[in-house]
Amino acid sequence: MSEAKRVAVVPGDGIGREAIPAAQQVLDAVADGREGIDFEFVSGEAGDRVQERTGSALPEETRELVTGADAALFGAAGETAAEVIIPLRRAIDAFANVRPATAYPGVGALQPEADLVFVRENTEGVYAGHEADLAPGVTTLTRVITAEASERIARFGFEYAAEHDYSVTVAHKANVMQTTDGQFLEGVATVSEELDVEYETVLMDALAMELVRDPTDYGVVICPNLAGDVLSDLAAGFVGGLGLLASANIGPERALFEPVHGTAPDIAGQKVANPTAAILCGAHLLEYFEFEAAGADVREAVTETLADGPRTPDLGGEASTDEVTAAIVDRL
Ligand code: IPM
Ligand code: MN
């Protein structure tokens, strides 16, 4: 008998509250149907709602829930997003942010052949928190790039690429940020020599253009933190929109999975949120626990449902979140 995996569930605000329960439903269905897969879900609050009530967007008990679980499913947070997700990533030392941008058939993607995975450095760069007001009208931001973090993300990216059979591209702006992105590229080079693997480097602005024109030339894209933030949203735009994309924050001992979409206040509460991104978070979580076959089955059920329906309104359909979720569960 294997032990139940403890999963912290933090739906947050807006459509996170509709999408994350859908993912949980799918994981429950997977666990029900298979020997050796068992989850213990523990729920916590984060985001605008809990801040209004308690004054804190990330209550200590939620942080402890996440650091005490094997993995977490996080939905979205509204205005307080940065105060929730950045500390949560830090709490589990989630150094790698994995953001697949794969186009699915039937969703009208601008680039239907795209199959990319952004591997974003998730701990430093301009997210290191060193911003200052020097004098009236004069502000600064210190960008931190270390050899350790650069090597760590490079190793993760190369290993991920090898495992999934992707090429590796490294995005940078070392022509301008010579010292910091110079350090980043040095970290990548060190690891590539150690692992004896190949890669190419591309200036991030040029890469933005190339990705839009022809993303099929690329596979894994290893990026410094902010470049990964921007480029992954850019790619989301040409594979069918934020409603379809999942991301994983991977630490040395635990991981947190979150849809790339936000709270979508325009449709929140209407029960029509697209649950695809959250359910794909569930697939990623299964794979993280090495339930590979179950993860693949969820991906297949999602792919079929995207192609054949039912679909939520963002994809031109009329189905509710529950109807789409039920269709995916049925296909399992
Ligand atoms: C993301 C978001 C976050 C980020 C914000 C909410 C802090 O844009 O997950 O991409 O910049 O990392
Ligand atoms: Mn972002």
Side-chain angles (χ1 to χ4, degrees):
M1 263 305 281
S2 60
E3 246 175 72
K5 300 289 186 195
R6 197 174 163 86
V7 178
V9 179
V10 185
D13 299 318
I15 62 166
R17 311 184 69 78
E18 295 155 47
I20 294 299
Q24 207 178 325
Q25 234 174 289
V26 169
L27 290 176
D28 271 332
V30 165
D32 269 353
R34 291 160 210 253
E35 203 65 40
I37 303 185
D38 197 6
F39 295 110
E40 181 198 348
F41 294 108
V42 286
S43 300
E45 289 185 284
D48 297 359
R49 286 165 54 111
V50 66
Q51 185 185 49
E52 269 160 42
R53 237 186 39 245
T54 69
S56 167
L58 181 60
E60 190 49 38
E61 65 239 40
T62 303
R63 177 199 296 272
E64 281 171 15
L65 208 68
V66 170
T67 56
D70 298 307
L73 273 178
F74 172 73
E79 298 294 323
T80 55
E83 290 140 69
V84 174
I85 195 62
I86 293 177
L88 279 180
R89 289 173 182 160
R90 226 168 252 154
I92 63 164
D93 188 21
F95 65 92
N97 193 329
V98 182
R99 300 187 154 190
T102 302
Y104 289 90
V107 299
L110 295 172
Q111 288 288 6
E113 303 301 320
D115 182 16
L116 298 158
V117 182
F118 293 89
V119 173
R120 168 186 176 190
E121 200 291 320
N122 213 20
T123 65
E124 55 180 29
V126 301
Y127 284 72
H130 303 294
E131 246 195 328
D133 245 308
L134 280 197
V138 184
T139 55
T140 59
L141 164 64
T142 302
R143 183 173 193 252
V144 179
I145 303 283
T146 63
E148 191 184 346
S150 304
E151 289 176 23
R152 182 148 80 146
I153 196 65
R155 181 166 291 110
F156 184 94
F158 283 128
E159 284 171 356
Y160 186 98
E163 198 176 316
H164 297 87
D165 204 18
Y166 283 116
S167 65
V168 175
T169 302
V170 179
H172 70 98
K173 190 80 184 172
N175 54 343
V176 175
M177 299 186 280
Q178 297 183 4
T179 305
T180 49
D181 267 359
Q183 173 70 260
F184 190 74
L185 290 179
E186 206 178 300
V188 172
T190 302
V191 176
S192 83
E193 271 166 43
E194 184 191 311
L195 300 178
D196 192 22
V197 285
E198 292 190 359
Y199 65 101
E200 62 164 350
T201 63
V202 183
L203 287 168
M204 60 176 80
D205 51 347
L207 182 61
M209 185 189 71
E210 295 295 337
L211 284 175
V212 170
R213 290 219 305 211
D214 186 7
T216 60
D217 284 344
Y218 302 93
V220 163
V221 183
I222 300 177
C223 311
N225 206 338
L226 181 60
D229 181 43
V230 175
L231 292 174
S232 61
D233 267 28
L234 174 111
F238 61 65
V239 300
L242 295 174
L244 304 176
L245 300 188
S247 73
N249 297 276
I250 310 282
E253 277 158 35
R254 40 187 60 82
L256 180 148
F257 301 86
E258 52 170 329
V260 174
H261 64 65
T263 57
D266 52 326
I267 58 159
Q270 297 174 20
K271 300 183 167 29
V272 293
N274 189 340
T276 302
I279 292 170
L280 288 173
C281 284
H284 207 147
L285 180 145
L286 287 163
E287 290 153 2
Y288 175 75
F289 288 134
E290 296 180 352
F291 302 137
E292 303 285 350
D297 288 351
V298 172
R299 287 184 194 282
E300 200 183 313
V302 166
T303 305
E304 283 171 18
T305 306
L306 286 172
D308 302 339
R311 300 201 184 107
T312 43
D314 57 307
L315 297 176
E318 288 178 359
S320 67
T321 308
D322 283 348
E323 283 162 348
V324 172
T325 308
I328 292 170
V329 168
D330 277 349
R331 288 191 166 97
L332 289 170

